Amino acid sequence: MKLYNTLTRKKEEFVPLEQGKVSMYVCGPTVYNYIHIGNARPMIVFDTVRRYLEYKGYDVNYVSNFTDVDDKIIKQAQEMGISAEEVARRFIAECKQDMEALNVKPATTHPLATQEIDGMLNMISDLISKGYAYAADDGTVYYRTRRFDGYGKLSGKKVDELQAGHRDIRVTGELKEDPLDFVLWKPKKEGEPYWESPWSEGRPGWHIECSVMAKKYLGEEIDIHAGGEDLIFPHHENEIAQSEAANGKPFAHYWMHNGFLNINGTKMSKSLGNFFTVREVGEKYDLQVLRFFMLSAHYRSPLNFSAELMEAAKNGLDRILTAAENLKRISGSAKGELTDPEKDLLTQAEGFTKKFEASMEDDFNTADAVSAVFELVKFANTHASSESSKAFADALYERLKTLCDVLGIIIEKEEEVLDADIEKLIAQRQEARKAKDFARADEIRDQLLAMGIQLKDTREGVIWKRV
Ligand code: AMP
Ligand code: ZN
């Protein structure tokens, strides 16, 4: 399996630290509002990476944090007239709801920065004692950037060039030894949440949080560290400087970064105001469509969000779901064992799985993996019919389901629908027909069919059966 490593700027063979296991850290959102669909991109693509690794038999320890203390959260708290803690608590719950709707698996651990302060105090103290950090007179602790030899290795930035960029913007009142130094701990301002520390009552800098949470839940050396490409510098560069200086070991072996989700060619972001929340998109589309849309592009390519592309994703997804439904229906009424020609066809169908795997093993090329799924769909539509054996329809369905599971696309219908719910919908359909609203009546019939319920209008009334 090959993946593109931002650190080496090459596609590399993936070799985990420990055979059969993968440790993976994905930087999570800052929770001060509903997440937008740009934030959803890393969630979806790295969840898909995780699912593929699991499909290959790896035991994946997947850690993704919530940044629950930050200037933006504090500002939002002031605006909403509630505590920063309450803002974070609320939007973590909302974010988890969005993740579920996007079929993003919960992480093995979702640590919260505010619950890990002790670890941060320890790492900062450690960095001070090793000479990589210092406390200024006002209680701020800075990382001594130049002290770390490898600084810039992830982003490709040179310390001297960074210095040139900083020359004119030295902020008066800052007590840094060097403009390149970054904050590990900052003293509180009036009314802000704070923790006690040897340097000041204050709170951690953003970068130290991830170094500490990765170390606590995954260890000093990890396999994969991931996030959006805007995090390469300074966030991930600084994480490397902190973790490697503190632990004396290489931090993450593979660094993966997703490209931006754009809108009219510009990065979608809260600050520009050019965003749609996952919630908003969910009002218009089943969020499976959004997931499918995200996977239609390679994760490192920029992806432009547009109504046309969402419609195309919806149509593509519908094609897959319809094929799955057909196979289920055939299986429901067909009987028997595989015939010899069917055995040959199933051998051919293995080719789609091979193509799917080859695409995923080439730096998780989900766009090509999706086309392998479409080929399988076409094959199923061509070869499965009411003449097919049950075993044949089932085998194709299982093959399709396995691939869709890796992509996080659900093709299986909801579990058992309650009789009472069915009766209620049938009654609503009768009402609609009485009111001559035939469009609505048809819509309900289709909705029931999608739930696996077939209606038949008879002289005695409507009868239904599960199909
Ligand atoms: P933030 O809450 O801004 O720290 O972002 C959380 C995650 O979403 C990070 O991994 C960001 O890189 C990622 N992200 C934010 N905006 C976009 C975007 N427009 N496209 C892709 N990823 C994004
Ligand atoms: Zn991070």
mmCIF file of all heavy atoms in Angstrom, residues 23-51:
data_model
loop_
_atom_site.group_PDB
_atom_site.id
_atom_site.type_symbol
_atom_site.label_atom_id
_atom_site.label_comp_id
_atom_site.label_asym_id
_atom_site.label_seq_id
_atom_site.Cartn_x
_atom_site.Cartn_y
_atom_site.Cartn_z
ATOM 1 N N SER A 23 -1.429 3.313 14.287
ATOM 2 C CA SER A 23 -1.801 4.407 15.190
ATOM 3 C C SER A 23 -1.948 5.669 14.343
ATOM 4 O O SER A 23 -1.084 6.000 13.546
ATOM 5 C CB SER A 23 -0.746 4.595 16.275
ATOM 6 O OG SER A 23 0.545 4.687 15.705
ATOM 7 N N MET A 24 -3.072 6.329 14.505
ATOM 8 C CA MET A 24 -3.415 7.425 13.596
ATOM 9 C C MET A 24 -4.036 8.576 14.378
ATOM 10 O O MET A 24 -4.979 8.377 15.151
ATOM 11 C CB MET A 24 -4.411 6.837 12.590
ATOM 12 C CG MET A 24 -4.830 7.745 11.503
ATOM 13 S SD MET A 24 -5.585 6.768 10.171
ATOM 14 C CE MET A 24 -6.032 8.122 9.086
ATOM 15 N N TYR A 25 -3.489 9.764 14.148
ATOM 16 C CA TYR A 25 -4.002 10.962 14.833
ATOM 17 C C TYR A 25 -4.497 11.961 13.788
ATOM 18 O O TYR A 25 -3.762 12.323 12.876
ATOM 19 C CB TYR A 25 -2.896 11.610 15.673
ATOM 20 C CG TYR A 25 -3.387 12.744 16.539
ATOM 21 C CD1 TYR A 25 -3.759 12.523 17.862
ATOM 22 C CD2 TYR A 25 -3.508 14.039 16.033
ATOM 23 C CE1 TYR A 25 -4.229 13.562 18.664
ATOM 24 C CE2 TYR A 25 -3.976 15.078 16.829
ATOM 25 C CZ TYR A 25 -4.333 14.824 18.139
ATOM 26 O OH TYR A 25 -4.805 15.852 18.935
ATOM 27 N N VAL A 26 -5.739 12.378 13.928
ATOM 28 C CA VAL A 26 -6.309 13.344 12.981
ATOM 29 C C VAL A 26 -6.743 14.586 13.757
ATOM 30 O O VAL A 26 -7.551 14.488 14.686
ATOM 31 C CB VAL A 26 -7.522 12.739 12.229
ATOM 32 C CG1 VAL A 26 -8.074 13.739 11.217
ATOM 33 C CG2 VAL A 26 -7.136 11.437 11.540
ATOM 34 N N CYS A 27 -6.191 15.750 13.377
ATOM 35 C CA CYS A 27 -6.548 16.978 14.087
ATOM 36 C C CYS A 27 -8.035 17.272 13.883
ATOM 37 O O CYS A 27 -8.528 17.302 12.756
ATOM 38 C CB CYS A 27 -5.737 18.160 13.569
ATOM 39 S SG CYS A 27 -4.014 18.002 14.013
ATOM 40 N N GLY A 28 -8.700 17.466 14.986
ATOM 41 C CA GLY A 28 -10.149 17.684 14.922
ATOM 42 C C GLY A 28 -10.489 19.173 14.933
ATOM 43 O O GLY A 28 -9.599 20.024 14.982
ATOM 44 N N PRO A 29 -11.766 19.475 14.911
ATOM 45 C CA PRO A 29 -12.191 20.867 14.794
ATOM 46 C C PRO A 29 -12.131 21.641 16.111
ATOM 47 O O PRO A 29 -12.109 21.050 17.184
ATOM 48 C CB PRO A 29 -13.650 20.736 14.342
ATOM 49 C CG PRO A 29 -14.098 19.441 14.925
ATOM 50 C CD PRO A 29 -12.899 18.537 14.947
ATOM 51 N N THR A 30 -12.104 22.944 15.964
ATOM 52 C CA THR A 30 -12.285 23.840 17.104
ATOM 53 C C THR A 30 -13.790 24.046 17.216
ATOM 54 O O THR A 30 -14.437 24.440 16.246
ATOM 55 C CB THR A 30 -11.579 25.185 16.833
ATOM 56 O OG1 THR A 30 -10.230 24.886 16.472
ATOM 57 C CG2 THR A 30 -11.591 26.073 18.047
ATOM 58 N N VAL A 31 -14.311 23.748 18.394
ATOM 59 C CA VAL A 31 -15.772 23.644 18.491
ATOM 60 C C VAL A 31 -16.411 24.922 19.042
ATOM 61 O O VAL A 31 -16.665 25.039 20.228
ATOM 62 C CB VAL A 31 -16.166 22.417 19.338
ATOM 63 C CG1 VAL A 31 -16.125 21.167 18.484
ATOM 64 C CG2 VAL A 31 -15.241 22.225 20.542
ATOM 65 N N TYR A 32 -16.656 25.861 18.127
ATOM 66 C CA TYR A 32 -17.308 27.108 18.558
ATOM 67 C C TYR A 32 -18.570 27.386 17.760
ATOM 68 O O TYR A 32 -19.221 28.401 17.932
ATOM 69 C CB TYR A 32 -16.345 28.290 18.460
ATOM 70 C CG TYR A 32 -15.860 28.626 17.072
ATOM 71 C CD1 TYR A 32 -16.388 29.698 16.362
ATOM 72 C CD2 TYR A 32 -14.873 27.865 16.468
ATOM 73 C CE1 TYR A 32 -15.936 30.006 15.095
ATOM 74 C CE2 TYR A 32 -14.411 28.159 15.198
ATOM 75 C CZ TYR A 32 -14.954 29.234 14.516
ATOM 76 O OH TYR A 32 -14.498 29.527 13.255
ATOM 77 N N ASN A 33 -18.887 26.467 16.827
ATOM 78 C CA ASN A 33 -20.073 26.635 16.007
ATOM 79 C C ASN A 33 -20.339 25.298 15.309
ATOM 80 O O ASN A 33 -19.578 24.358 15.470
ATOM 81 C CB ASN A 33 -19.817 27.735 14.972
ATOM 82 C CG ASN A 33 -21.074 28.513 14.691
ATOM 83 O OD1 ASN A 33 -22.157 27.931 14.674
ATOM 84 N ND2 ASN A 33 -20.952 29.806 14.483
ATOM 85 N N TYR A 34 -21.366 25.262 14.471
ATOM 86 C CA TYR A 34 -21.597 24.055 13.681
ATOM 87 C C TYR A 34 -20.430 23.884 12.708
ATOM 88 O O TYR A 34 -19.898 24.887 12.219
ATOM 89 C CB TYR A 34 -22.890 24.185 12.871
ATOM 90 C CG TYR A 34 -24.118 24.170 13.726
ATOM 91 C CD1 TYR A 34 -24.713 25.357 14.141
ATOM 92 C CD2 TYR A 34 -24.676 22.967 14.137
ATOM 93 C CE1 TYR A 34 -25.834 25.350 14.951
ATOM 94 C CE2 TYR A 34 -25.797 22.949 14.947
ATOM 95 C CZ TYR A 34 -26.370 24.142 15.347
ATOM 96 O OH TYR A 34 -27.468 24.118 16.154
ATOM 97 N N ILE A 35 -20.048 22.650 12.425
ATOM 98 C CA ILE A 35 -18.949 22.477 11.466
ATOM 99 C C ILE A 35 -19.462 22.752 10.054
ATOM 100 O O ILE A 35 -20.631 22.524 9.736
ATOM 101 C CB ILE A 35 -18.307 21.069 11.529
ATOM 102 C CG1 ILE A 35 -19.328 19.959 11.289
ATOM 103 C CG2 ILE A 35 -17.568 20.865 12.843
ATOM 104 C CD1 ILE A 35 -18.681 18.641 10.906
ATOM 105 N N HIS A 36 -18.562 23.264 9.213
ATOM 106 C CA HIS A 36 -18.940 23.457 7.813
ATOM 107 C C HIS A 36 -18.424 22.275 6.992
ATOM 108 O O HIS A 36 -17.669 21.428 7.494
ATOM 109 C CB HIS A 36 -18.488 24.822 7.294
ATOM 110 C CG HIS A 36 -17.008 25.071 7.275
ATOM 111 N ND1 HIS A 36 -16.144 24.389 6.447
ATOM 112 C CD2 HIS A 36 -16.243 25.949 7.978
ATOM 113 C CE1 HIS A 36 -14.916 24.837 6.630
ATOM 114 N NE2 HIS A 36 -14.948 25.782 7.566
ATOM 115 N N ILE A 37 -18.836 22.229 5.744
ATOM 116 C CA ILE A 37 -18.520 21.026 4.966
ATOM 117 C C ILE A 37 -17.037 20.945 4.596
ATOM 118 O O ILE A 37 -16.561 19.873 4.241
ATOM 119 C CB ILE A 37 -19.435 20.887 3.723
ATOM 120 C CG1 ILE A 37 -19.324 22.106 2.804
ATOM 121 C CG2 ILE A 37 -20.893 20.681 4.158
ATOM 122 C CD1 ILE A 37 -20.131 21.952 1.521
ATOM 123 N N GLY A 38 -16.313 22.078 4.722
ATOM 124 C CA GLY A 38 -14.847 22.015 4.580
ATOM 125 C C GLY A 38 -14.243 21.222 5.729
ATOM 126 O O GLY A 38 -13.382 20.366 5.536
ATOM 127 N N ASN A 39 -14.724 21.455 6.937
ATOM 128 C CA ASN A 39 -14.255 20.680 8.097
ATOM 129 C C ASN A 39 -14.620 19.204 7.953
ATOM 130 O O ASN A 39 -13.944 18.335 8.505
ATOM 131 C CB ASN A 39 -14.898 21.169 9.407
ATOM 132 C CG ASN A 39 -14.639 22.622 9.718
ATOM 133 O OD1 ASN A 39 -15.553 23.343 10.087
ATOM 134 N ND2 ASN A 39 -13.396 23.056 9.566
ATOM 135 N N ALA A 40 -15.712 18.961 7.242
ATOM 136 C CA ALA A 40 -16.160 17.565 7.091
ATOM 137 C C ALA A 40 -15.245 16.789 6.140
ATOM 138 O O ALA A 40 -15.195 15.563 6.194
ATOM 139 C CB ALA A 40 -17.599 17.521 6.576
ATOM 140 N N ARG A 41 -14.499 17.520 5.287
ATOM 141 C CA ARG A 41 -13.676 16.787 4.315
ATOM 142 C C ARG A 41 -12.620 15.900 5.002
ATOM 143 O O ARG A 41 -12.564 14.707 4.713
ATOM 144 C CB ARG A 41 -13.034 17.749 3.297
ATOM 145 C CG ARG A 41 -12.397 16.976 2.153
ATOM 146 C CD ARG A 41 -11.914 17.831 0.995
ATOM 147 N NE ARG A 41 -11.474 16.953 -0.087
ATOM 148 C CZ ARG A 41 -10.741 17.314 -1.122
ATOM 149 N NH1 ARG A 41 -10.371 18.578 -1.270
ATOM 150 N NH2 ARG A 41 -10.380 16.443 -2.037
ATOM 151 N N PRO A 42 -11.787 16.450 5.915
ATOM 152 C CA PRO A 42 -10.836 15.534 6.577
ATOM 153 C C PRO A 42 -11.535 14.428 7.354
ATOM 154 O O PRO A 42 -11.042 13.290 7.393
ATOM 155 C CB PRO A 42 -10.033 16.444 7.517
ATOM 156 C CG PRO A 42 -10.788 17.734 7.599
ATOM 157 C CD PRO A 42 -11.584 17.850 6.342
ATOM 158 N N MET A 43 -12.679 14.741 7.944
ATOM 159 C CA MET A 43 -13.380 13.689 8.711
ATOM 160 C C MET A 43 -13.740 12.529 7.793
ATOM 161 O O MET A 43 -13.561 11.367 8.136
ATOM 162 C CB MET A 43 -14.662 14.250 9.322
ATOM 163 C CG MET A 43 -14.395 15.217 10.439
ATOM 164 S SD MET A 43 -15.948 15.940 10.989
ATOM 165 C CE MET A 43 -15.310 17.080 12.215
ATOM 166 N N ILE A 44 -14.269 12.865 6.621
ATOM 167 C CA ILE A 44 -14.725 11.823 5.699
ATOM 168 C C ILE A 44 -13.537 11.092 5.070
ATOM 169 O O ILE A 44 -13.508 9.863 5.045
ATOM 170 C CB ILE A 44 -15.629 12.441 4.605
ATOM 171 C CG1 ILE A 44 -16.923 12.946 5.240
ATOM 172 C CG2 ILE A 44 -15.911 11.430 3.491
ATOM 173 C CD1 ILE A 44 -17.762 13.832 4.340
ATOM 174 N N VAL A 45 -12.548 11.833 4.589
ATOM 175 C CA VAL A 45 -11.468 11.130 3.875
ATOM 176 C C VAL A 45 -10.630 10.284 4.834
ATOM 177 O O VAL A 45 -10.282 9.155 4.490
ATOM 178 C CB VAL A 45 -10.577 12.046 2.999
ATOM 179 C CG1 VAL A 45 -11.376 12.764 1.943
ATOM 180 C CG2 VAL A 45 -9.784 13.032 3.797
ATOM 181 N N PHE A 46 -10.355 10.784 6.035
ATOM 182 C CA PHE A 46 -9.515 9.967 6.919
ATOM 183 C C PHE A 46 -10.314 8.839 7.571
ATOM 184 O O PHE A 46 -9.750 7.805 7.926
ATOM 185 C CB PHE A 46 -8.744 10.848 7.911
ATOM 186 C CG PHE A 46 -7.806 11.778 7.177
ATOM 187 C CD1 PHE A 46 -7.914 13.156 7.269
ATOM 188 C CD2 PHE A 46 -6.844 11.252 6.311
ATOM 189 C CE1 PHE A 46 -7.072 13.996 6.540
ATOM 190 C CE2 PHE A 46 -6.001 12.082 5.571
ATOM 191 C CZ PHE A 46 -6.114 13.459 5.684
ATOM 192 N N ASP A 47 -11.616 9.013 7.683
ATOM 193 C CA ASP A 47 -12.461 7.886 8.114
ATOM 194 C C ASP A 47 -12.410 6.791 7.046
ATOM 195 O O ASP A 47 -12.397 5.600 7.369
ATOM 196 C CB ASP A 47 -13.902 8.373 8.303
ATOM 197 C CG ASP A 47 -14.869 7.251 8.666
ATOM 198 O OD1 ASP A 47 -14.707 6.667 9.759
ATOM 199 O OD2 ASP A 47 -15.758 6.933 7.854
ATOM 200 N N THR A 48 -12.342 7.202 5.795
ATOM 201 C CA THR A 48 -12.282 6.223 4.704
ATOM 202 C C THR A 48 -10.920 5.522 4.694
ATOM 203 O O THR A 48 -10.846 4.310 4.476
ATOM 204 C CB THR A 48 -12.577 6.922 3.357
ATOM 205 O OG1 THR A 48 -13.813 7.634 3.490
ATOM 206 C CG2 THR A 48 -12.681 5.925 2.214
ATOM 207 N N VAL A 49 -9.870 6.279 4.981
ATOM 208 C CA VAL A 49 -8.533 5.667 5.110
ATOM 209 C C VAL A 49 -8.583 4.617 6.234
ATOM 210 O O VAL A 49 -8.134 3.482 6.081
ATOM 211 C CB VAL A 49 -7.460 6.742 5.416
ATOM 212 C CG1 VAL A 49 -6.146 6.113 5.849
ATOM 213 C CG2 VAL A 49 -7.248 7.645 4.202
ATOM 214 N N ARG A 50 -9.149 5.017 7.346
ATOM 215 C CA ARG A 50 -9.265 4.090 8.481
ATOM 216 C C ARG A 50 -10.049 2.830 8.091
ATOM 217 O O ARG A 50 -9.646 1.709 8.392
ATOM 218 C CB ARG A 50 -9.981 4.795 9.625
ATOM 219 C CG ARG A 50 -10.353 3.867 10.759
ATOM 220 C CD ARG A 50 -11.401 4.512 11.645
ATOM 221 N NE ARG A 50 -11.594 3.752 12.861
ATOM 222 C CZ ARG A 50 -12.270 4.202 13.913
ATOM 223 N NH1 ARG A 50 -12.790 5.414 13.899
ATOM 224 N NH2 ARG A 50 -12.440 3.454 14.969
ATOM 225 N N ARG A 51 -11.184 3.052 7.415
ATOM 226 C CA ARG A 51 -12.015 1.906 7.030
ATOM 227 C C ARG A 51 -11.252 0.974 6.100
ATOM 228 O O ARG A 51 -11.368 -0.251 6.202
ATOM 229 C CB ARG A 51 -13.289 2.381 6.330
ATOM 230 C CG ARG A 51 -14.319 2.948 7.277
ATOM 231 C CD ARG A 51 -15.429 3.660 6.503
ATOM 232 N NE ARG A 51 -16.408 4.231 7.393
ATOM 233 C CZ ARG A 51 -17.513 3.603 7.804
ATOM 234 N NH1 ARG A 51 -17.785 2.387 7.367
ATOM 235 N NH2 ARG A 51 -18.348 4.195 8.623
#
